[in-house]
Amino acid sequence: MEMLSDLQSILIGLIGWAATTLMLENASRLTITDRRVMSVFSWTIWMIPAFGALVLQGLLTTYTAVLYVCITTLALGVIMVIGVSRRTHTRS
């Protein structure tokens, strides 16, 4: 049970990112590419404080937290790029 209280910052970050992404999906002025890019950047914005809370609690080192944020951001970016490329190839 203590582990769940330690990871509540990650849960809050995930919920915040999901809410931001849902709001971006309803933004009619943005293109699909703009929405995807903003979704990736909002991931970074939400995960920095989420992992920062784990650093403050002493569960992660700063280096490890930065590494996790960078790796997950890059992975999300790759998923978005693959989604865009699949979408453009299926149109032709």
Side-chain angles (χ1 to χ4, degrees):
M1 202 60 173
E2 185 178 318
M3 186 67 167
L4 291 177
S5 67
D6 292 340
L7 296 178
Q8 68 186 355
S9 63
I10 298 291
L11 182 62
I12 291 170
L14 288 173
I15 291 170
W17 175 73
T20 304
T21 302
L22 287 174
M23 292 300 293
L24 287 171
E25 288 298 317
N26 294 329
S28 59
R29 292 184 179 183
L30 298 174
T31 64
I32 187 73
T33 305
D34 291 340
R35 290 180 200 160
R36 289 176 186 227
V37 168
M38 290 183 76
S39 178
V40 171
F41 284 123
S42 69
W43 171 265
T44 305
I45 297 301
W46 279 102
M47 286 300 119
I48 287 172
F51 282 108
L54 296 177
V55 170
L56 286 175
Q57 292 175 358
L59 297 175
L60 289 177
T61 64
T62 304
Y63 177 77
T64 307
V66 169
L67 189 65
Y68 284 160
V69 170
C70 290
I71 287 173
T72 57
T73 303
L74 287 173
L76 188 60
V78 167
I79 290 169
M80 294 295 178
V81 167
I82 289 171
V84 169
S85 68
R86 291 181 94 194
R87 184 172 177 247
T88 56
H89 288 305
T90 56
R91 279 190 186 175
S92 301

